Amino acid sequence: MKLYIETLGCAMNTRDSEHMISELQKKEGYELTDSPKEADLILINTCSVREKPERKLFSEIGQFAKLKKPNAKIGICGCTASHMGEQIIKKAPQVDFVLGARNVSKITEVIHKPKAVEVSIDYDDSAYVYDIARNTGVKALLNISIGCDKKCAYCIVPHTRGKEISIPLELLLNEARKLVDNGVKEIMLLGQNVNNYGVRFTSPHPEINFTQLLNQMAKIDGLERIRFTSPHPLHMNDEFLEEFASNPKVCKSIHIPLQSGSSKVLKAMRRGYTKEWYLNRIEKLKSLVPNVGISTDIIVGFPTEEDSDFQDTLDVLEQVRFDTLYSFVYSPRPHTESATWSKDLEVPQNVASQRLAILQNRHKEILKEDSQKELGKEHIVLIENHKQSQNEVFSEGRSDNGRLVRIENEFLSLGSMVRVKIIATNGGSLIGQSV
Ligand code: 5AD
Ligand code: SF4
């Protein structure tokens, strides 16, 4: 039996797909294929955070339905499955089952239940022990919590992934040890608000917070690097920043979603912090870790955003000089607060698109300027990928502070930690040689 799976959206969805793959391999004997034509089961693990990919879903279902084998099944999983539920089957009767983001552990049940719709956002997957995917490489993802308790005005996720539940510490440490035994060197801890870890467990559990979790994880022998995504700026207290700075296994790159640089817009978004708080946390972080790599998410064109608000966002960009920027035009989503607001508060599409272009162009310039400063510096790189062919030899990986470094003409072994000197730049990317 062959499984074809397409994964959209964030790292959480990637992890959910890994879970479904391992369940189907272990319990149902499936093997992965990259051809939907050959598959006996086609899964689309969907994202609903913006409207565009969601619109494309139904044309995709139509295409798969045309080319699939006659008895092959189609399952729609993930965030769009959560919030559209049985409407998906009504709109696309070719779909065999719908499995919400909070229900992935039920994958081996729903494949045997015609027209099953399992989308409850109260379902508790938090103590379910999945098998480890067989093709684990040097890096692995590990969920530390599911769901989200925040109420950001633009965001559909609380509606698709439900209330926040932390996964018990013992389970996490066991999973991490198993991963290390399988050759993993770097673990990425995942959660919608990772640094809110410990907020709620579904069975009795000693009190613990994210700082303590990092500390415990770092004690695992053989685990070289720990990363996490995403922390919320609101929960970045000094204790957390100090642990981030001083724990040698915690990589010095961090994703800190800004969303907007304007305190007025942040308030409308219900983010719970101001421009000043965000900049204060960055200042503290940079004072503790001068070479820290910072990435962020920014939304432009949120309702009520005026030009002066956008200038505040540009001002934060200038002050922080992010290494990586994920930026989006606001997209109204069902079940969110801002989607119910008056049309008068909306920002015209052309204005929002212009702002996005200005933001992205300035970010590219900053990246170029900052890459120049990397020349001659040395980084420890974990080799994650390499190639040796007649025309090309290279190895690549990430520095501790999250920069992608390509080492030309060297074939270094996967999983090795190599000291690399930066000898050239190519736009925002770095080229180095081992020293
Ligand atoms: N419109 C545009 N971008 C959004 N994001 C979340 N919701 C929306 C929306 N309605 C962005 C945020 C978030 C990232 C995953 O997607 O920046 O951090
Ligand atoms: Fe991930 Fe959010 Fe998309 Fe769901 S809606 S897949 S949580 S980005």
Side-chain angles (χ1 to χ4, degrees):
M1 299 282 271
K2 298 229 161 105
L3 163 68
Y4 176 84
I5 183 163
E6 181 180 308
T7 306
L8 306 163
C10 62
M12 203 76 63
N13 253 23
T14 305
R15 184 70 197 123
D16 288 343
S17 286
E18 288 178 4
H19 279 155
M20 291 190 285
I21 294 166
S22 55
E23 291 287 295
L24 289 167
Q25 283 177 333
K26 187 179 163 198
K27 299 190 178 147
E28 302 283 334
Y30 276 89
E31 268 175 43
L32 278 174
T33 171
D34 39 21
S35 156
K37 273 189 199 158
E38 275 182 17
D40 302 284
L41 175 60
I42 295 175
L43 296 179
I44 310 179
N45 196 6
T46 57
C47 173
S48 53
V49 78
R50 281 169 293 277
E51 195 195 352
K52 219 174 169 182
E54 205 180 281
R55 249 190 283 137
K56 286 203 302 206
L57 176 65
F58 288 94
S59 63
E60 229 189 339
I61 295 174
Q63 282 162 6
F64 283 142
K66 259 191 225 148
L67 56 80
K68 76 180 180 71
K69 294 202 292 199
N71 290 327
K73 289 182 181 150
I74 300 181
I76 306 304
C77 315
C79 285
T80 308
S82 298
H83 84 89
M84 288 190 73
E86 63 184 354
Q87 278 179 57
I88 294 183
I89 297 187
K90 282 203 182 123
K91 235 173 135 171
Q94 312 95 315
V95 170
D96 290 283
F97 62 86
V98 176
L99 184 66
R102 183 85 173 216
N103 299 257
V104 285
S105 64
K106 297 183 196 157
I107 182 68
T108 52
E109 287 170 39
V110 290
I111 55 170
H112 300 297
K113 273 199 229 161
K115 305 292 170 193
V117 177
E118 293 285 347
V119 293
S120 160
I121 55 166
D122 299 322
Y123 187 69
D124 180 12
D125 258 344
S126 66
Y128 189 89
V129 181
Y130 297 88
D131 194 25
I132 285 187
R134 283 172 209 161
N135 51 352
T136 322
V138 174
K139 301 199 294 185
L141 304 170
L142 181 62
N143 276 111
I144 64 165
S145 56
I146 57 178
C148 178
D149 278 356
K150 298 272 182 287
K151 291 193 168 58
C152 299
Y154 51 81
C155 188
I156 195 173
V157 175
H159 191 83
T160 64
R161 291 189 177 265
K163 256 183 149 3
E164 183 168 337
I165 298 180
S166 303
I167 297 177
L169 174 69
E170 264 320 297
L171 227 153
L172 294 179
L173 295 175
N174 281 343
E175 286 295 297
R177 284 189 207 106
K178 270 197 270 173
L179 288 167
V180 169
D181 289 345
N182 275 273
V184 166
K185 305 269 188 220
E186 177 181 309
I187 291 184
M188 169 79 92
L189 306 175
L190 293 182
Q192 233 66 48
N193 285 301
V194 275
N195 52 345
N196 206 21
Y197 179 76
V199 67
R200 184 183 302 114
F201 294 94
T202 44
S203 50
H205 194 286
E207 216 170 277
I208 182 164
N209 62 26
F210 185 62
T211 306
Q212 291 159 334
L213 172 66
L214 286 178
N215 194 279
Q216 294 279 328
M217 278 278 160
K219 290 186 183 148
I220 296 177
D221 282 337
L223 178 60
E224 307 259 5
R225 284 181 161 186
I226 302 168
R227 297 188 193 273
F228 51 83
T229 199
S230 297
H232 194 292
L234 190 62
H235 304 297
M236 297 187 63
N237 55 22
D238 285 355
E239 182 204 51
F240 162 71
L241 292 179
E242 280 154 18
E243 176 71 20
F244 175 82
S246 63
N247 188 324
K249 290 194 180 176
V250 173
C251 288
K252 302 305 178 245
S253 74
I254 186 165
H255 184 72
I256 315 179
L258 170 66
Q259 311 303 0
S260 168
S262 150
S263 296
K264 181 196 96 187
V265 173
L266 286 168
K267 190 162 181 207
M269 287 176 162
R270 295 195 187 279
R271 290 288 290 168
Y273 55 89
T274 58
K275 175 185 182 188
E276 289 69 32
W277 167 262
Y278 188 92
L279 287 173
N280 168 282
R281 295 294 80 194
I282 298 283
E283 197 183 305
K284 170 96 189 171
L285 178 63
K286 286 188 172 175
S287 74
L288 292 169
V289 189
N291 205 23
V292 62
I294 304 173
S295 60
T296 202
D297 290 342
I298 292 176
I299 299 174
V300 295
F302 185 73
T304 73
E305 185 186 74
E306 292 168 284
D307 206 47
S308 57
D309 298 309
F310 177 61
Q311 292 306 320
D312 273 328
T313 300
L314 287 177
D315 183 40
V316 176
L317 181 79
E318 282 316 316
Q319 294 198 48
V320 182
R321 303 180 74 88
F322 299 101
D323 295 81
T324 308
L325 167 69
Y326 302 95
S327 50
F328 318 97
V329 167
Y330 168 70
S331 159
R333 306 304 295 127
H335 312 289
T336 61
E337 188 192 331
S338 52
T340 65
W341 292 347
S342 151
K343 291 247 175 267
D344 303 345
L345 302 175
E346 278 177 10
V347 174
Q349 272 298 313
N350 62 330
V351 175
S353 305
Q354 256 171 17
R355 287 180 187 162
L356 187 73
I358 294 170
L359 183 75
Q360 292 180 339
N361 286 336
R362 182 61 196 132
H363 167 67
K364 268 191 212 142
E365 285 171 9
I366 289 177
L367 259 191
K368 251 192 191 166
E369 291 162 18
D370 286 358
S371 292
Q372 288 304 312
K373 293 186 206 145
E374 287 289 321
L375 285 173
K377 280 195 188 159
E378 291 184 7
H379 291 284
I380 304 289
V381 174
L382 172 66
I383 304 299
E384 297 163 16
N385 183 22
H386 58 191
K387 186 170 173 185
Q388 188 164 37
S389 71
Q390 266 186 337
N391 310 326
E392 211 180 11
V393 181
F394 71 87
S395 304
E396 66 186 6
R398 288 198 182 264
S399 65
D400 177 66
N401 64 352
R403 304 293 300 258
L404 186 66
V405 183
R406 189 175 161 107
I407 303 136
E408 302 276 7
N409 305 318
E410 291 183 59
F411 189 69
L412 303 164
S413 56
L414 293 182
S416 58
M417 305 271 274
V418 182
R419 181 174 286 278
V420 174
K421 185 173 180 173
I422 305 306
I423 53 167
T425 65
N426 181 7
S429 60
L430 304 177
I431 296 162
Q433 67 188 24
S434 60
V435 290

